[in-house]
Protein backbone atom coordinates (compact mmCIF):
# COMPACT_ATOMS: atom_id res chain seq x y z
CA UNK A 1 0.00 0.00 0.00
CA UNK A 2 1.35 3.41 -0.92
CA UNK A 3 1.80 6.21 1.55
CA UNK A 4 0.25 9.62 0.93
CA UNK A 5 1.60 12.94 2.17
CA UNK A 6 -0.25 16.21 2.58
CA UNK A 7 0.78 19.21 0.49
CA UNK A 8 1.09 22.70 1.92
CA UNK A 9 1.29 26.20 0.48
CA UNK A 10 4.25 28.57 0.92
CA UNK A 11 2.86 29.67 4.30
CA UNK A 12 2.61 26.09 5.61
CA UNK A 13 -1.15 25.95 5.26
CA UNK A 14 -2.58 22.56 4.31
CA UNK A 15 -3.97 22.70 0.75
CA UNK A 16 -6.17 19.60 0.82
CA UNK A 17 -4.01 18.04 -1.89
CA UNK A 18 -1.78 14.99 -1.39
CA UNK A 19 1.00 13.18 -3.23
CA UNK A 20 2.24 9.61 -3.06
CA UNK A 21 5.54 8.95 -1.27
CA UNK A 22 8.33 9.31 -3.83
CA UNK A 23 6.27 11.46 -6.18
CA UNK A 24 7.72 14.79 -7.34
CA UNK A 25 6.37 17.75 -5.38
CA UNK A 26 4.46 20.11 -7.69
CA UNK A 27 5.81 23.65 -8.08
CA UNK A 28 4.76 26.04 -5.30
CA UNK A 29 3.75 23.16 -3.00
CA UNK A 30 5.56 21.75 0.01
CA UNK A 31 5.49 18.65 2.19
CA UNK A 32 6.67 18.30 5.78
CA UNK A 33 9.79 16.58 7.06
CA UNK A 34 10.18 15.98 10.80
CA UNK A 35 13.30 15.18 12.84
CA UNK A 36 13.94 14.94 16.57
CA UNK A 37 17.04 15.32 18.70
CA UNK A 38 16.68 13.20 21.82
CA UNK A 39 19.13 14.09 24.59
CA UNK A 40 19.73 12.50 27.98
CA UNK A 41 20.81 14.25 31.19
CA UNK A 42 24.46 13.36 30.44
CA UNK A 43 24.29 15.58 27.35
CA UNK A 44 24.42 12.66 24.93
CA UNK A 45 22.22 12.45 21.85
CA UNK A 46 20.40 9.34 20.65
CA UNK A 47 21.57 8.71 17.08
CA UNK A 48 20.84 5.92 14.67
CA UNK A 49 22.70 4.27 11.83
CA UNK A 50 20.54 3.66 8.81
CA UNK A 51 20.50 0.31 7.02
CA UNK A 52 22.82 -0.09 3.99
CA UNK A 53 20.03 0.45 1.42
CA UNK A 54 19.17 3.76 3.15
CA UNK A 55 22.77 5.14 2.86
CA UNK A 56 24.29 3.44 5.95
CA UNK A 57 25.07 6.69 7.76
CA UNK A 58 24.46 8.05 11.22
CA UNK A 59 21.56 10.47 11.67
CA UNK A 60 18.80 11.38 14.04
CA UNK A 61 15.26 9.99 14.02
CA UNK A 62 12.95 11.50 11.45
CA UNK A 63 10.73 11.10 8.45
CA UNK A 64 7.53 12.46 6.96
CA UNK A 65 4.04 12.72 8.43
CA UNK A 66 1.46 10.62 6.62
CA UNK A 67 -1.53 12.39 5.06
CA UNK A 68 -3.83 13.53 7.85
CA UNK A 69 -1.08 13.71 10.48
CA UNK A 70 0.17 16.99 11.90
CA UNK A 71 3.89 17.61 12.21
CA UNK A 72 3.76 16.65 15.90
CA UNK A 73 1.77 13.49 15.20
CA UNK A 74 4.25 12.68 12.43
CA UNK A 75 7.33 12.86 14.66
CA UNK A 76 5.56 10.78 17.32
CA UNK A 77 4.79 8.17 14.63
CA UNK A 78 8.40 8.18 13.36
CA UNK A 79 9.81 7.72 16.88
CA UNK A 80 7.38 4.83 17.45
CA UNK A 81 8.11 3.20 14.06
CA UNK A 82 11.89 3.57 14.06
CA UNK A 83 12.64 3.07 17.76
CA UNK A 84 9.56 1.38 19.20
CA UNK A 85 9.32 4.24 21.69
CA UNK A 86 6.11 5.93 22.79
CA UNK A 87 6.65 9.57 23.75
CA UNK A 88 4.45 12.13 25.43
CA UNK A 89 3.61 14.90 22.91
CA UNK A 90 3.90 17.50 25.70
CA UNK A 91 7.59 16.62 26.11
CA UNK A 92 8.46 17.37 22.46
CA UNK A 93 9.55 20.92 21.69
CA UNK A 94 9.43 22.22 18.11
CA UNK A 95 12.35 24.64 18.09
CA UNK A 96 13.00 25.34 14.41
CA UNK A 97 11.26 25.16 11.05
CA UNK A 98 13.33 25.38 7.89
CA UNK A 99 11.83 26.00 4.46
CA UNK A 100 13.50 24.46 1.40
CA UNK A 101 12.55 24.38 -2.25
CA UNK A 102 9.87 21.72 -1.64
CA UNK A 103 9.49 21.06 2.09
CA UNK A 104 9.21 22.47 5.57
CA UNK A 105 11.56 20.75 8.01
CA UNK A 106 10.31 20.78 11.59
CA UNK A 107 13.08 20.10 14.10
CA UNK A 108 12.07 18.85 17.53
CA UNK A 109 13.92 18.39 20.81
CA UNK A 110 13.18 15.84 23.52
CA UNK A 111 14.99 15.51 26.85
CA UNK A 112 14.56 11.94 28.04
CA UNK A 113 16.28 9.11 29.82
CA UNK A 114 15.79 6.10 27.58
CA UNK A 115 17.17 2.62 28.07
CA UNK A 116 18.18 1.94 24.48
CA UNK A 117 18.46 -1.78 25.22
CA UNK A 118 14.68 -1.85 25.57
CA UNK A 119 13.96 -0.25 22.20
CA UNK A 120 12.69 -2.18 19.18
CA UNK A 121 14.37 -0.95 16.01
CA UNK A 122 12.61 -0.86 12.65
CA UNK A 123 14.83 -3.32 10.79
CA UNK A 124 13.94 -1.88 7.36
CA UNK A 125 15.31 1.53 8.40
CA UNK A 126 17.59 1.35 11.44
CA UNK A 127 20.62 -0.89 11.83
CA UNK A 128 21.97 0.42 15.13
CA UNK A 129 21.41 3.12 17.76
CA UNK A 130 23.62 4.63 20.42
CA UNK A 131 24.00 7.52 22.80
CA UNK A 132 26.71 9.83 21.44
CA UNK A 133 28.46 12.80 22.96
CA UNK A 134 28.79 15.99 20.91
CA UNK A 135 32.49 15.09 20.43
CA UNK A 136 31.54 11.66 19.04
CA UNK A 137 29.03 13.27 16.67
CA UNK A 138 31.69 15.77 15.54
CA UNK A 139 34.02 12.84 14.80
CA UNK A 140 31.31 11.13 12.73
CA UNK A 141 30.77 14.38 10.82
CA UNK A 142 34.53 14.83 10.20
CA UNK A 143 34.76 11.26 8.89
CA UNK A 144 31.77 11.71 6.53
CA UNK A 145 29.73 9.15 8.47
CA UNK A 146 26.88 11.50 9.39
CA UNK A 147 24.01 12.15 7.00
CA UNK A 148 24.77 15.60 5.48
CA UNK A 149 21.36 17.28 5.97
CA UNK A 150 21.33 16.13 9.59
CA UNK A 151 24.59 18.00 10.25
CA UNK A 152 22.73 21.29 9.83
CA UNK A 153 19.89 20.03 12.05
CA UNK A 154 22.45 19.05 14.70
CA UNK A 155 24.10 22.49 14.65
CA UNK A 156 20.70 24.16 14.95
CA UNK A 157 19.96 21.95 17.95
CA UNK A 158 23.21 22.99 19.62
CA UNK A 159 22.32 26.67 19.00
CA UNK A 160 18.88 26.08 20.48
CA UNK A 161 20.36 24.42 23.58
CA UNK A 162 22.69 27.40 24.16
CA UNK A 163 19.70 29.74 24.36
CA UNK A 164 17.39 27.37 26.26
CA UNK A 165 16.78 28.04 29.93
CA UNK A 166 15.95 25.02 32.09
Amino acid sequence: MSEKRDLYDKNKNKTGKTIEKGEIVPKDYYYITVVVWIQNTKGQFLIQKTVPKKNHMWATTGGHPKAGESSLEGIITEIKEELGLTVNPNELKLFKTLKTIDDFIDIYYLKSEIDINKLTLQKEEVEEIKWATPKEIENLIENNLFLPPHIKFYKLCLEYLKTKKE
Side-chain angles (χ1 to χ4, degrees), residues 39 42-45 47 130-143 146 154 158:
Q39 187 181 40
K42 295 178 191 163
Q44 299 167 311
F45 293 95
I47 59 173
K130 69 177 179 178
W131 286 112
T133 64
K135 178 107 178 96
E136 289 169 319
I137 293 172
E138 293 294 331
N139 286 336
L140 292 169
I141 292 168
E142 287 170 21
N143 290 298
F146 211 83
Y154 172 67
L158 292 180

Side-chain angles (χ1 to χ4, degrees), residues 25-63:
V25 179
K27 184 174 173 18
D28 297 326
Y29 286 93
Y30 304 82
Y31 63 98
I32 290 183
T33 299
V34 290
V35 296
V36 62
W37 288 96
I38 301 172
Q39 187 181 40
N40 63 21
T41 54
K42 295 178 191 163
Q44 299 167 311
F45 293 95
L46 183 59
I47 59 173
Q48 60 191 52
K49 189 173 193 179
T50 56
V51 295
K53 71 174 186 166
K54 290 271 188 178
N55 67 36
H56 213 224
M57 297 185 88
W58 289 95
T60 192
T61 304

Side-chain angles (χ1 to χ4, degrees), residues 114-152:
I114 297 163
D115 181 350
I116 61 174
N117 297 312
K118 292 184 177 174
L119 298 181
T120 304
L121 306 184
Q122 184 181 23
K123 62 181 180 296
E124 302 81 22
E125 300 259 345
V126 183
E127 180 178 284
E128 176 185 351
I129 58 172
K130 69 177 179 178
W131 286 112
T133 64
K135 178 107 178 96
E136 289 169 319
I137 293 172
E138 293 294 331
N139 286 336
L140 292 169
I141 292 168
E142 287 170 21
N143 290 298
N144 298 314
L145 299 172
F146 211 83
L147 192 62
H150 287 229
I151 296 169
K152 181 176 186 176

Side-chain angles (χ1 to χ4, degrees), residues 11-12 17 32 52 62 66 68 83 91 93 124 132 134 146 159:
N11 298 311
K12 205 179 175 190
K17 297 182 187 304
I32 290 183
K66 294 168 185 60
L83 304 175
E91 294 175 349
K93 168 70 177 149
E124 302 81 22
F146 211 83
E159 285 176 24

Side-chain angles (χ1 to χ4, degrees), residues 3-9 13-21 23-32 65-69:
E3 189 177 299
K4 288 186 178 281
R5 296 187 179 144
D6 289 316
L7 288 174
Y8 296 77
D9 67 16
N13 296 309
K14 206 181 281 193
T15 64
K17 297 182 187 304
T18 62
I19 58 169
E20 298 286 330
K21 179 179 177 177
E23 210 178 315
I24 305 248
V25 179
K27 184 174 173 18
D28 297 326
Y29 286 93
Y30 304 82
Y31 63 98
I32 290 183
K66 294 168 185 60
E69 283 185 325

